[in-house]
Structures are given as C-alpha cells and as structure tokens.
Amino acid sequence: MLIGLTGSFIVFYREIDAALNPALYAPATPEQRVVLSEVIRAAAAADAAPISTILVPDRTWPVWVVIHAHETQRGHYPNRWTTMVDPSNGKVLGRRDYINAFALKVYRLHYTLLLYEWWGRELVGVAGFMLLGLTASGLFLWWPKPGRFWRSISIRRDVSLLRFVFDVHGAAGFWALLVLPGLAITGIGLVFPDVVRPIVGVLSQPTPDPSPRIAAPPPAGTPLLSPDAIMRRAEEAKPGRAVAMLSPPGETRNTWRVQFRADGADPAVRARGAIWLDPWSGAVLHDRTSDAMSLGDRYVAEQLWLHNGATFGLSGRLLVFAAGIAPLVLFVSGAIMWLKKRPRRIRAS
C-alpha cells in the first residue's frame, strides 16, 4: 500500500513540487535570454559545491535547475542541493536541500522506504517480486466459471455488505491486473537491472550503460570548450530533439553527458537517450539515443517512463496513478472479507 500510494503521488511529483513552491518556479518573464554559461556562473556563486546535473527549463519547471553534489558519507543517500536560476534574467530564485524537499522525500520513500543505508532500495525490489506473486495468485483465485466473466468484474447493487465488498475486490483486482504486473516488472528492472538484462537479452541484447572517459586527454593547457559551445554541439548533433539535461565533467568522467527528449514531448519524460561529448573538441564520443540503440537498450532506457506511465502521455500517467491506489482498495476489501469469513467464535473473542 505504501509503495502504491507514494507511486501515485510521484507520478505528478514535479507538478506538486511546483505548486508547493511557486516562488522557486516563477521566472520574471517567459523569454529564454540567459545562456548556459551564465546559468553556471550564477549557480556557482550561490553554491560552491560541484555541479552534477543541469535541468533545462520546461513547461513544468520553467527555470534552470542546477543540482550541486555536496559531500556525502559513504553508504548514505547522495547529498544534493539545487539552485533555481531565472532563464529571463539569470537571477537566483532560491536554493534548497533537494533530497529533503517534501515532494522529493516522498519520491525517496517510494524508491528506498527512507532506508537507503539499510537495503531500502532492495526491499522495494523484493516488494516488486511479491506484487507479481500476489497478482498471479489473485488471478487464479478470481478466475470465473464459464459465462460469468462480466459478472465477476462488475459491482452489483442491492446485495449484502460482504457480497458488495467481494465484488469490489474482484473488480478492482481484475482492472488493476492490467497495469500492476507491468509496474512490478519495470520496478524490479530499475532496482535489479542485472536481473532484467539477461531476460531482455533473449529478444535483443542490451549493452551496459557506459560512462565514456577520454583515456588520453590533450596536453595540459589545452582550452576547454565553453558550456555554450557544448550546448551548440549537442543541438547540432541531434536536430529535432530538445536538450533536457546536462552533466558536466566530474571526478569519475571527464566528458559532458547530454540527455535529450523529442521537441514538444511531455516534460514528464525527462530524457530519451544521451550522447557524450569531448570537452576539448566537442566531438561525440558515444551515442546512446534511440536511433543508435538496440531494442533491448531502448527498453532498459525506457523503463522509468514505462513505470510512471509517461511513455503514454497524460493518459498513461493517470492510469498509473489509479493503479497505485488499487493495493489500498484490495487490502481494505480483502481484510473485510477475511474478518467476515472467520468462524463466529473467533470473531467474538
């Protein structure tokens, strides 16, 4: 129930976060006048910690969101802070503790049960396997006799409370069955990618997600391309796609990682594929966008958007939102049925 309800919440967590913090997402004007280098300078002046990711403005978060990586104790959840920069004038709209903001904390509750240091993410993955088992056993118990299919998925009126609850349980279980197994499978894949890759590989072999590094960088003193030049090279490399996120070179990777989504796509799909660029020449070192990936790679890359329904637009997100409430309905109706069916002497005691 907890994972389901928090999952329903985070389907729209960005919209909820923007509604709860309007001052952070209110640019002075809708014009996009500020270039990337100005955004980085403004964010660095507000927070000296290294920049790990830069989110480009979109319809939901219409400001630059710069994520800073603060020092984190080993084994603890990464300590991230964000700086919001107005795209019309380059002013800092605010800073905050990213992982402890309300909407993001609910996100962590769904993903790790707030037990990151205690195998919380793995526990959520195990819950995905349990959900698969529950859907299979529920389908077996529900399977109707010939000629009673529609009756078994409908809710009748003018019946006893127990029969009404039974109908609710059966109908909710059947319709949720159309979505819950997919949510369980994609959730397992997000937590345990090494379990899913061999299965996907039966149809199309996926390749490991790389983090390309230039083994022999140019001689010391060779100038780096500016962030604006990197942005231009990325846009030239993938015309017809919008840059969604950028990750500057860091300690473990000396290349730029640029993620894209289709022009005009729902901003709920944060990114679809990425390229890695040489920070000195701007050359594309690795292409992992849809036109360069195998079918297996595309599935692995799309798992998150399948999991939250964003792949299918607003209708898909609404469907996942409803499916997240289904475990609560099934638990309450199942508990009532179990209590009513117990022997009277046990109920009396």
Side-chain angles (χ1 to χ4, degrees):
M1 283 192 303
L2 177 64
I3 294 172
L5 292 174
T6 53
S8 291
F9 178 94
I10 65 173
V11 166
F12 297 101
Y13 87 95
R14 294 179 70 233
E15 289 84 350
I16 293 170
D17 187 53
L20 293 176
N21 303 278
L24 295 177
Y25 300 104
T29 63
E31 288 86 4
Q32 301 281 330
R33 299 174 180 170
V34 178
V35 296
L36 181 59
S37 57
E38 295 175 304
V39 172
I40 292 175
R41 280 197 296 270
D47 188 336
I51 294 173
S52 62
T53 307
I54 304 165
L55 309 183
V56 179
D58 58 41
R59 294 197 306 270
T60 308
W61 285 353
V63 299
W64 290 92
V65 179
V66 181
I67 303 177
H68 304 264
H70 285 253
E71 188 175 348
T72 308
Q73 292 183 11
R74 187 174 182 179
H76 286 243
Y77 200 87
N79 183 12
R80 299 287 186 260
W81 282 68
T82 53
T83 302
M84 281 68 169
V85 179
D86 190 324
S88 65
N89 56 28
K91 292 183 178 179
V92 172
L93 295 170
R95 289 182 59 243
R96 66 173 177 175
D97 181 349
Y98 184 65
I99 66 170
N100 288 313
F102 173 71
L104 283 303
K105 199 154 191 172
V106 176
Y107 197 107
R108 285 201 296 133
L109 179 61
H110 176 78
Y111 187 49
T112 69
L113 301 176
L114 300 183
L115 297 172
Y116 183 83
E117 298 84 3
W118 302 96
W119 302 89
R121 192 168 69 95
E122 289 74 13
L123 286 172
V124 172
V126 170
F129 284 108
M130 294 171 63
L131 179 58
L132 280 179
L134 286 169
T135 54
S137 61
L139 179 64
F140 176 80
L141 293 170
W142 164 87
W143 197 263
K145 296 178 181 179
R148 297 172 63 91
F149 173 77
W150 289 111
R151 183 177 178 180
S152 65
I153 62 171
S154 58
I155 300 173
R156 288 165 289 177
R157 301 178 181 179
D158 302 323
V159 294
S160 67
L161 174 62
L162 182 59
R163 173 54 60 182
F164 174 79
V165 171
F166 189 86
D167 286 351
V168 168
H169 192 81
F174 173 79
W175 294 111
L177 190 66
L178 302 178
V179 183
L180 288 180
L183 295 180
I185 291 169
T186 52
I188 292 168
L190 291 169
V191 175
F192 301 119
D194 293 338
V195 173
V196 171
R197 284 182 184 275
I199 300 173
V200 174
V202 173
L203 299 176
S204 176
Q205 187 61 43
T207 55
D209 194 356
S211 185
R213 181 179 178 85
I214 300 174
T222 303
L224 293 165
L225 289 178
S226 70
D228 303 329
I230 292 293
M231 176 73 92
R232 287 194 299 271
R233 297 291 175 90
E235 291 171 339
E236 292 167 0
K238 294 295 173 181
R241 303 188 187 191
V243 174
M245 289 186 275
L246 304 101
S247 299
E251 292 183 1
T252 60
R253 174 180 39 80
N254 59 2
T255 55
W256 278 87
R257 182 173 187 250
V258 183
Q259 295 174 267
F260 299 88
R261 64 168 169 267
D263 272 333
D266 188 332
V269 181
R270 300 306 305 278
R272 272 201 169 108
I275 59 174
W276 285 258
L277 300 176
D278 185 319
W280 291 278
S281 68
V284 176
L285 299 173
H286 187 77
D287 187 338
R288 200 175 175 82
T289 52
S290 57
D291 50 359
M293 289 192 292
S294 68
L295 185 62
D297 286 331
R298 292 177 66 180
Y299 170 77
V300 171
E302 193 75 13
Q303 279 185 113
L304 178 59
W305 317 125
L306 289 168
H307 189 68
N308 68 13
T311 294
F312 307 105
L314 179 60
S315 58
R317 296 169 74 196
L318 290 171
L319 191 62
V320 171
F321 177 86
I325 301 172
L328 173 65
V329 176
L330 293 171
F331 172 78
V332 173
S333 57
I336 293 173
M337 290 161 53
W338 179 76
L339 289 169
K340 287 288 186 181
K341 286 186 174 183
R342 291 196 308 166
R344 182 176 298 176
R345 61 181 177 80
I346 297 179
R347 292 203 305 270
S349 65

